[in-house]
Amino acid sequence: MSYSQSEEQRQPAIIILDFGSQYSELIARRVRETQVYSLVLSHSTSVEELRKISPKGIIFSGGPRSVYENGAPLCDPEIWNLGIPVLGVCYGMQLMVHQLGGRVESASGKAEYGKAPLQVDDPTSLLTNVANGSTMWMSHGDSVEALPSGFVRLAHTTNTSEAAIADHHRHLYGVQFHPEVVHSTDGMVMIRNFVYNICGCDPNWTTNAFIDEAISQVRNQVGDRRVLLALSGGVDSSTLAFLLNKAIGGQLTCMFIDQGFMRKGEPEFLMDFFDKKFHINVQYINARKRFISKLTGITDPEEKRKIIGKEFIRVFEEESVKLGPFDYLAQGTLYPDVIESAATNIDPRTGERVAVKIKSHHNVGGLPKDLQFKLVEPLRRLFKDEVRKVGRSLGLPEEIVSRHPFPGPGLAIRILGEVTDEKLNCLRDADLIVREEIVNSGLYNDVWQAFAVLLPVCSVGVMGDQRTYAWPIVLRCVSSEDGMTADWSRLPYEFLECVSNRIVNEVKGVNRVVFDITSKPPGTIEWE
């Protein structure tokens, strides 16, 4: 994610330089939990750009490479002369050692992966209040064999003699483990020490501060022109509707496009909620036949997403002519959307980041080149939990704020294979049962998402002494903090039994229910 002052009104206090780690964005999130604004930039960010940003601290992420390999990703060596505190995490620590004159070698049978107790040698600065013997998460095949001049050891483990290091005079610190992951018991203590005590940051990245800045930014960007918002009813677009309504009032028009892939009763609920209850201007567009006709014969999930996303934009353009003119299209794009739509690795030949697409998001990238709108995306700096906090501060009711995420393409990507009216009706009925029972059981707020998936295969069953040959429904329930990683939810058997019995008995065309126990990674939360 590149940085430009036109995109970010507030200067980030902590910059994370990304060397290809799967945890780079998690580091940013942990820093934000200390109420300090952080941003992830490429490892190739120049010293000149860093000087313009003027952060109070820099964190080097981990990465999959070895620093001594040809083509390994490096940073601008002038970073070490900026006088800004630096914390190197895993690969980041090894890079620090390598560039400053130390020695990094293969661990030679002493690699560490997983949990390891940390033995604290110097309980000051970075390790203040870090308990001796606390668990830290290790993931490295290389180790520091010789420290650069001026560095001292702060901690060690059984297999890693230099588990944490520091050059106190130059404010350079390194850890061989990952303090940002939940498995590291005192990891947040360490991050707070770096952010507050070493970098001297103030905890001013608050919900109210974000709202004030976002409103100011929207007003400056939009002026007196009109904005069209694609309202889906999820927490992202709903929070955005409340934010924009507060920022520009009557200049905002929300368009709710019923593409035919919504949950049962959803269109009626949303129109009543926004238009009648909160008096936010919402225009209802019934485009069900148009969308489903575009998916005839389409089975590839990526193609489905692209078709639906493209059709969304086309409908916006056509309807805006009737309702407009509009200069801006507002979208509830979030940080994880941006990240996942351009997931990255390091090219082993050049050390540069290369795109590895996981799945397309209908509101990130892939927009038609002839798009007639300029984009307004004030939430793109936020994680999902941060959006919920913003929504609550804006007065968005809990029934919307605490809603489970729902994909933009809707039920179309929860039906594997071709989408038909018959399958949609079947999945809507099953999905309603899942939602009703997760609420009735008091488990709704304990899971990140709970939904049904329809598989395009049939299996044999028996109902009332009759042989059946019908579809299976997959029950998918996951727990997560921000949707970037997830684990399957350990739900009571009584709940699973109730859902299964109701779906099989009440939903026509289904004779089997199965439970998905795959985490993310290796799976994704959605099936398509």
Side-chain angles (χ1 to χ4, degrees):
M1 182 178 180
S2 62
Y3 173 90
S4 69
Q5 184 60 19
S6 61
E7 285 183 355
E8 309 294 343
Q9 183 175 354
R10 169 189 285 262
Q11 294 279 30
I14 301 294
I15 289 293
I16 293 91
L17 293 187
D18 180 15
F19 291 87
S21 171
Q22 61 180 317
Y23 298 133
S24 295
E25 288 76 24
L26 183 56
I27 297 174
R29 189 176 181 280
R30 295 300 182 225
V31 172
R32 292 184 188 191
E33 288 177 11
T34 70
Q35 296 188 335
V36 171
Y37 181 42
S38 62
L39 193 68
V40 179
L41 300 180
S42 167
H43 69 275
S44 60
T45 302
S46 68
V47 163
E48 288 73 20
E49 187 171 2
L50 289 172
R51 284 198 181 100
K52 292 177 184 177
I53 300 170
S54 190
K56 292 191 173 182
I58 300 172
I59 299 177
F60 285 16
S61 81
R65 302 293 304 279
S66 293
V67 295
Y68 47 77
E69 293 178 354
N70 290 331
L74 306 175
C75 69
D76 187 330
E78 287 301 310
I79 285 177
W80 311 117
N81 299 320
L82 282 174
I84 298 174
V86 178
L87 171 62
V89 175
C90 201
Y91 179 93
M93 168 178 155
Q94 294 168 8
L95 178 61
M96 180 184 295
V97 169
H98 179 71
Q99 287 193 319
L100 293 177
R103 190 172 75 255
V104 178
E105 296 179 356
S106 174
S108 301
K110 292 186 177 181
E112 276 186 308
Y113 298 96
K115 299 176 181 179
L118 187 72
Q119 303 304 314
V120 177
D121 301 301
D122 181 356
T124 62
S125 63
L126 187 67
L127 301 189
T128 300
N129 296 322
V130 173
N132 190 45
S134 60
T135 297
M136 293 298 162
W137 187 260
M138 293 285 186
S139 181
H140 66 100
D142 295 331
S143 293
V144 172
E145 297 299 326
L147 293 176
S149 175
F151 278 80
V152 295
R153 183 172 74 183
L154 301 181
H156 67 279
T157 67
T158 301
N159 285 342
T160 303
S161 61
E162 313 294 348
I165 61 174
D167 181 333
H168 294 295
H169 178 70
R170 301 175 67 182
H171 304 295
L172 303 178
Y173 301 85
V175 293
Q176 188 58 75
F177 44 85
H178 289 275
E180 70 274 17
V181 303
V182 295
H183 308 293
S184 295
T185 53
D186 275 351
M188 278 302 297
V189 174
M190 207 170 301
I191 290 173
R192 289 191 188 96
N193 286 338
F194 180 73
V195 170
Y196 291 145
N197 302 339
I198 295 172
C199 298
C201 296
D202 296 319
N204 55 16
W205 175 246
T206 63
T207 299
N208 289 335
F210 170 81
I211 291 173
D212 291 342
E213 292 170 8
I215 288 174
S216 176
Q217 188 174 2
V218 167
R219 287 172 177 169
N220 290 335
Q221 179 184 5
V222 171
D224 60 357
R225 286 160 291 185
R226 299 181 65 196
V227 178
L228 177 63
L229 167 62
L231 182 66
S232 70
V235 63
D236 305 338
S237 66
S238 299
T239 298
L240 183 55
F242 270 57
L243 177 65
L244 293 177
N245 190 53
K246 186 172 182 178
I248 57 176
Q251 294 169 239
L252 172 67
T253 297
C254 297
M255 185 186 296
F256 171 58
I257 297 177
D258 184 357
Q259 84 293 49
F261 309 135
M262 302 298 291
R263 291 171 287 199
K264 196 164 188 175
E266 193 83 349
E268 296 80 5
F269 167 78
L270 293 178
M271 290 303 298
D272 181 73
F273 183 88
F274 286 96
D275 193 29
K276 296 180 181 179
K277 188 173 182 179
F278 286 95
H279 308 293
I280 294 176
N281 181 20
V282 181
Q283 299 295 319
Y284 173 79
I285 309 297
N286 187 342
R288 296 180 182 181
K289 292 182 179 179
R290 174 173 176 167
F291 274 85
I292 197 166
S293 67
K294 294 288 183 180
L295 296 185
T296 301
I298 304 299
T299 59
D300 180 77
E302 186 69 9
E303 191 174 357
K304 283 185 192 176
R305 288 177 177 270
K306 288 180 178 178
I307 289 172
I308 294 171
K310 182 178 180 180
E311 204 61 26
F312 254 104
I313 298 300
R314 293 299 175 221
V315 173
F316 290 154
E317 289 181 322
E318 293 170 15
E319 296 299 328
S320 70
V321 172
K322 304 173 186 177
L323 301 171
F326 297 97
D327 295 288
Y328 290 93
L329 171 65
Q331 294 192 140
T333 307
L334 304 190
Y335 202 14
D337 295 337
V338 176
I339 294 163
E340 196 166 54
S341 289
T344 53
N345 279 343
I346 299 294
D347 188 320
R349 298 166 300 173
T350 65
E352 294 299 316
R353 293 169 68 82
V354 292
V356 181
K357 181 161 289 188
I358 299 172
K359 60 183 179 181
S360 294
H361 288 266
H362 75 279
N363 58 347
V364 184
L367 295 174
K369 293 180 180 180
D370 58 343
L371 177 68
Q372 299 301 309
F373 302 108
K374 299 174 184 176
L375 295 181
V376 177
E377 299 177 302
L379 304 183
R380 68 181 290 121
R381 294 183 283 168
L382 302 184
F383 290 96
K384 178 72 76 172
D385 58 324
E386 294 173 322
V387 173
R388 294 189 197 280
K389 293 176 183 177
V390 169
R392 289 188 179 99
S393 294
L394 289 168
L396 194 64
E398 197 63 30
E399 60 186 311
I400 294 291
V401 172
S402 62
R403 291 186 113 197
H404 290 175
F406 187 68
L411 299 181
I413 60 166
R414 292 179 178 173
I415 295 174
L416 274 66
E418 184 179 12
V419 178
T420 64
D421 284 322
E422 183 183 11
K423 291 177 181 177
L424 281 167
N425 291 332
C426 177
L427 184 57
R428 278 196 192 94
D429 290 340
D431 175 81
L432 180 62
I433 290 172
V434 174
R435 287 187 287 142
E436 287 177 344
E437 291 305 325
I438 201 81
V439 171
N440 293 340
S441 63
L443 296 170
Y444 188 86
N445 292 324
D446 294 335
V447 299
W448 174 264
Q449 278 178 270
F451 58 90
V453 176
L454 189 147
L455 301 185
V457 295
C458 291
S459 65
V460 174
V462 177
M463 291 183 180
D465 296 328
Q466 297 279 331
R467 178 185 182 276
T468 64
Y469 193 57
W471 293 313
I473 287 290
V474 177
L475 178 60
R476 180 67 161 151
C477 302
V478 298
S479 301
S480 179
E481 289 187 359
D482 52 28
M484 297 186 69
T485 60
D487 194 13
W488 63 278
S489 300
R490 276 66 169 173
L491 299 176
Y493 290 151
E494 294 78 10
F495 166 78
L496 298 176
E497 181 181 34
C498 178
V499 169
S500 177
N501 287 341
R502 282 198 60 190
I503 289 177
V504 170
N505 288 322
E506 299 175 29
V507 180
K508 183 179 179 181
V510 175
N511 66 357
R512 191 179 299 273
V513 176
V514 298
F515 187 38
D516 183 354
I517 58 170
T518 310
S519 297
K520 175 188 178 181
T524 53
I525 294 177
E526 299 289 344
W527 271 53
E528 287 202 347

